[in-house]
């Protein structure tokens, strides 16, 4: 494992007030021709030029860090495409392409190896054992490490034991890591974890991440409320915010996100004010969004932590009244997006 002083991400965290991460993987690959139901990871081998473009577009837009095209590159998910024996190869290639892009960018850029959830439900609710989950995560981490990633980055996790299994696997792989959960059910993950509960969970994990936070979820407003939940704790780890570019809407046979570059630029500066250090986008976030976010952050002086009313005025209503920390039954209300006009 890299020592904290030598890890490129740790160095960047020590030297920069904020770090701009990348945007969506799926959205941008669909725009390049990926079909629904296809495994994006197979493109690492069959269409490497497109994956290189995916990475380079985010770097050219101003990202200091990007995730590899390996989110679903574990044995369980690849088995659906008869590619379960290609975990190491596909993860390695995704990282090697990323390494080339970062090393030829002319500046410091961190390559983060994306690791998504296993795709299975863990015991006692499901059938996936903790030890098997560790093996699944470990295999993929080894492939990403072999390809040259600076850190592995587990994302979109919902269950505490799956998060813990990933942390143990990364310890076995001897590589630094970051981790995010997806808070998409009235301030909670699918398995009921709140933002403060994730902080508590991390405090008990022996192998601490370099940074933690949230990705995906519902929309930009909800993401910032979650970040405020992280910031309100005594945790001193850097916080990650990778929110969706608005709310998904189905039209013309495709999923579209209603978040404009202008909205995402407001989201980025508000995320920084809320306490996030690593700020990026998730579903729907394109290079155009990233360019606007970079410009906004470059010209922004950190302000006081915003009130919820300020977030709503800038980004639109929350999807639920509750942030998950009360005893109310999780319910979502209809969206009424209100964009700030400047």
């Amino acid at each position: 494992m890299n020592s904290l002083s030598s890890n490129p991400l740790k160095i960047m965290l020590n030297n920069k007030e904020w770090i701009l991460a990348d945007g969506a993987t799926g959205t941008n690959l669909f725009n390049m021709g990926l079909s629904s139901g296809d495994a994006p990871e197979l493109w690492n081998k069959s269409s490497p030029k497109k994956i290189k473009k995916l990475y380079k577009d985010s770097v050219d837009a101003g990202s200091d860090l990007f995730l590899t095209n390996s989110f679903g590159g574990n044995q369980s998910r690849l088995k659906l495409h008869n590619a379960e024996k290609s975990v190491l190869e596909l993860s390695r290639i995704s990282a090697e392409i990323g390494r080339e892009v970062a090393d030829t960018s002319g500046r410091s850029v961190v390559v983060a190896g994306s690791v998504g959830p296993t795709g299975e439900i863990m015991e006692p609710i499901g059938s996936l054992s903790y030890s098997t989950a560790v093996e699944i995560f470990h295999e993929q981490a080894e492939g990403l490490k072999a390809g040259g990633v600076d850190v592995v980055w587990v994302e979109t996790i919902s269950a505490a034991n799956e998060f813990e299994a990933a942390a143990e696997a990364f310890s076995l792989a001897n590589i630094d890591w970051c981790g995010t959960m997806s808070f998409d059910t009235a301030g909670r993950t699918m398995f009921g974890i709140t933002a403060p509960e994730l902080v508590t969970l991390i405090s008990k994990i022996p192998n601490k991440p370099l940074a933690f936070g949230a990705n995906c979820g519902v929309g930009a407003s909800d993401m910032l409320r979650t970040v405020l939940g992280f910031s309100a704790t005594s945790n001193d780890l850097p916080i990650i915010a990778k929110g969706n570019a608005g709310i998904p809407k189905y039209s013309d046979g495709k999923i579209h996100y209603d978040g404009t570059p202008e909205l995402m630029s407001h989201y980025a500066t508000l995320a920084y004010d809320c306490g996030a250090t690593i700020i990026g986008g998730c579903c729907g976030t394109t290079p155009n969004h990233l360019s606007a976010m970079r410009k906004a952050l470059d010209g922004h002086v950190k302000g006081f932590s915003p009130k919820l009313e300020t977030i709503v005025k800038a980004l639109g209503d929350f999807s639920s009244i509750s942030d998950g920390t009360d005893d109310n039954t999780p319910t979502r209300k209809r969206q009424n997006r209100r964009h700030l006009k400047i």
Side-chain angles (χ1 to χ4, degrees):
M1 184 180 300
N2 290 323
S3 67
L4 293 184
S5 60
S6 65
N7 183 282
L9 176 56
K10 185 65 176 180
I11 294 171
M12 190 176 286
L13 286 167
N14 286 335
N15 293 326
K16 294 174 66 70
E17 293 184 356
W18 50 263
I19 293 169
L20 181 65
D22 60 356
T25 295
T27 299
N28 292 306
L29 290 183
F30 285 134
N31 290 340
M32 294 183 195
L34 183 72
S35 297
S36 178
D38 288 348
E41 296 75 22
L42 297 179
W43 271 22
N44 295 333
K45 189 173 182 179
S46 65
S47 302
K49 290 183 179 179
K50 291 183 178 180
I51 302 307
K52 183 176 181 179
K53 175 175 170 52
L54 171 74
Y55 299 159
K56 191 173 185 301
D57 283 352
S58 67
V59 173
D60 289 346
S63 293
D64 303 301
L65 175 155
F66 65 83
L67 274 61
T68 57
N69 178 42
S70 51
F71 178 83
N74 65 60
Q75 181 182 132
S76 178
R77 287 175 174 266
L78 288 177
K79 187 176 182 179
L80 300 174
H81 305 276
N82 298 314
E84 65 271 22
K85 295 182 179 180
S86 301
V87 172
L88 289 171
E89 179 187 27
L90 293 175
S91 292
R92 175 181 55 77
I93 295 173
S94 75
E96 289 174 342
I97 298 171
R99 190 75 270 156
E100 178 187 357
V101 171
D103 292 347
T104 57
S105 66
R107 59 188 177 89
S108 179
V109 175
V110 171
V111 181
S114 175
V115 175
T118 62
E120 299 184 34
I121 305 299
M122 293 184 65
E123 297 174 340
I125 299 174
S127 59
L128 179 65
S129 70
Y130 180 87
S131 61
T132 301
V134 171
E135 291 174 3
I136 290 173
F137 285 127
H138 185 201
E139 180 182 28
Q140 189 176 9
E142 290 290 358
L144 292 166
K145 181 180 178 180
V149 297
D150 297 308
V151 294
V152 287
W153 185 294
V154 65
E155 55 178 335
T156 325
I157 300 297
S158 297
N161 51 357
E162 190 166 24
F163 198 83
E164 292 173 310
E168 182 172 334
F170 303 152
S171 180
L172 292 173
N174 200 31
I175 189 167
D176 293 312
W177 67 289
C178 297
T180 60
M181 285 189 166
S182 183
F183 298 82
D184 55 6
T185 310
R188 294 175 178 267
T189 71
M190 183 174 67
F191 286 95
I193 297 173
T194 65
E197 287 171 346
L198 174 56
V199 176
T200 300
L201 173 65
I202 289 174
S203 71
K204 299 176 181 178
I205 292 176
N207 178 30
K208 298 287 189 294
L210 297 186
F212 81 102
N215 76 293
C216 205
V218 184
S221 297
D222 292 74
M223 171 60 68
L224 297 190
R225 186 167 63 178
T226 296
V227 171
L228 288 175
F230 295 143
S231 299
T233 71
S234 58
N235 177 77
D236 60 357
L237 289 175
I239 295 171
I240 300 166
K242 286 192 100 235
N244 292 339
I247 302 297
K249 300 180 183 298
Y250 187 81
S251 62
D252 299 326
K254 296 181 179 180
I255 298 293
H256 301 274
Y257 284 79
D258 67 0
T260 63
E262 179 188 29
L263 180 140
M264 291 302 283
S265 70
H266 295 312
Y267 149 77
T269 55
L270 284 170
Y272 182 42
D273 291 346
C274 285
T277 300
I278 302 177
I279 302 162
C282 204
C283 301
T285 308
T286 68
N288 287 338
H289 292 96
L290 292 173
S291 294
M293 292 163 68
R294 180 79 200 202
K295 182 177 180 180
L297 285 167
D298 279 338
H300 182 68
V301 177
K302 188 171 185 177
F304 293 108
S305 184
K307 296 181 178 180
L308 296 182
E309 293 81 2
T310 301
I311 293 173
V312 169
K313 183 178 180 181
L315 305 178
D317 289 337
F318 300 113
S319 65
S320 64
I321 295 173
S322 172
D323 66 353
T325 59
D326 53 33
D327 295 326
N328 293 336
T329 301
T331 57
R332 291 181 180 174
K333 63 181 181 179
R334 187 174 181 179
Q335 295 292 319
N336 178 22
R337 308 297 291 174
R338 298 202 298 269
H339 294 184
L340 180 66
K341 303 294 183 181
I342 60 171

